[in-house]
Amino acid sequence: DSGVTQTPKHLITATGQRVTLRCSPRSGDLSVYWYQQSLDQGLQFLIQYYNGEERAKGNILERFSAQQFPDLHSELNLSSLELGDSALYFCASSVGLAGGSEQYFGPGTRLTVT
Amino acid sequence: AQSVAQPEDQVNVAEGNPLTVKCTYSVSGNPYLFWYVQYPNRGLQFLLKYITGDNLVKGSYGFEAEFNKSQTSFHLKKPSALVSDSALYFCAVRDGASGGSYIPTFGRGTSLIVHP
């Protein structure tokens, strides 16, 4: 158990809908990352927050947004869903912002868009 | 810019034999290198990392990795493979240069299959 929790584990929804994925980092970790994993694209970095502030953006679509709350949990919002958004979404956390901090990954949320 | 390559999509090895999963990287400064393992329907788990110091790094579950600066490689190794080692392995690199990215770049992953 990495100490990172994600809910829900599975999500099935229709095209055009909006969903929210939730992540709680390990105790003491200030940095939260969101990743999308699909068979054809591999592991894609979406966005990073550090202590409540956005610090880095990756290949995140404009239809997607995220935030980190004062208690350090984070939410990833996906809207106007398309079939291609079906994937595993992972949250990870680390102690620091840079340097040699390793990441701890949650179990993921499997999103299926029908 | 930073990049990482895992040249093999799949590695097959017999149980009890040594295994190697290859990783090469490119950075402008000093590299921070990581290995992660992903079992089916699970998140990635941290195995080991190289930041500085001894080129041979020991990690979880009997795995080790050797940092080779001249060959820009960080291959993952284990002396004796177990069937339970079968999983997807990811190498990641972060550029330690001033102004380098906070975000590690992950390889595409290598599927390790250990045959009984």
Side-chain angles (χ1 to χ4, degrees):
Chain A
D1 183 4
S2 67
V4 178
T5 60
Q6 287 187 249
T7 56
K9 287 190 176 180
H10 302 277
L11 202 47
I12 302 175
T13 189
T15 54
Q17 295 298 305
R18 172 190 168 95
V19 297
T20 298
L21 313 183
R22 183 188 168 103
C23 166
S24 291
R26 283 192 327 159
S27 177
D29 285 358
L30 299 179
S31 196
V32 169
Y33 312 75
W34 285 98
Y35 290 88
Q36 179 192 61
Q37 186 180 38
S38 59
L39 281 175
D40 55 341
Q41 294 291 325
L43 193 67
Q44 296 287 314
F45 166 69
L46 296 178
I47 197 163
Q48 179 205 19
Y49 282 83
Y50 179 79
N51 204 20
E53 293 188 5
E54 181 187 306
R55 295 307 299 258
K57 254 185 175 179
N59 301 319
I60 189 166
L61 300 171
E62 286 192 10
R63 300 183 284 110
F64 297 179
S65 64
Q67 54 184 326
Q68 187 180 28
F69 295 87
D71 67 352
L72 300 179
H73 92 270
S74 178
E75 292 181 357
L76 178 67
N77 301 297
L78 315 176
S79 62
S80 303
L81 284 167
E82 302 175 358
L83 296 177
D85 297 328
S86 296
L88 264 172
Y89 290 84
F90 288 108
C91 165
S93 71
S94 67
V95 171
L97 182 61
S101 298
E102 63 271 21
Q103 294 170 300
Y104 291 87
F105 283 76
T109 294
R110 182 173 293 278
L111 174 66
T112 303
V113 182
T114 62
Chain B
Q2 61 191 32
S3 66
V4 63
Q6 293 180 243
E8 301 154 319
D9 289 337
Q10 185 172 302
V11 169
N12 291 277
V13 64
E15 188 174 32
N17 283 0
L19 70 88
T20 299
V21 183
K22 295 180 180 178
C23 171
T24 59
Y25 66 90
S26 175
V27 294
S28 55
N30 290 320
Y32 298 142
L33 293 156
F34 307 83
W35 275 103
Y36 292 85
V37 60
Q38 185 180 26
Y39 297 100
N41 301 313
R42 304 284 295 274
L44 279 70
Q45 294 178 38
F46 169 71
L47 275 180
L48 51 80
K49 67 181 179 183
Y50 172 84
I51 304 301
T52 186
D54 194 349
N55 289 344
L56 187 63
V57 179
K58 294 189 182 297
S60 308
Y61 312 121
F63 284 94
E64 57 190 27
E66 186 168 10
F67 171 65
N68 188 317
K69 188 172 183 178
S70 62
Q71 296 187 1
T72 61
S73 67
F74 189 56
H75 300 333
L76 181 70
K77 300 182 179 185
K78 189 173 182 181
S80 178
L82 299 172
V83 172
S84 57
D85 292 330
S86 299
L88 191 57
Y89 290 80
F90 290 92
C91 181
V93 67
R94 182 185 272 153
D95 195 337
S98 174
S101 174
Y102 297 136
I103 308 303
T105 297
F106 283 82
R108 297 274 306 175
T110 297
S111 178
L112 173 67
I113 300 174
V114 182
H115 302 277

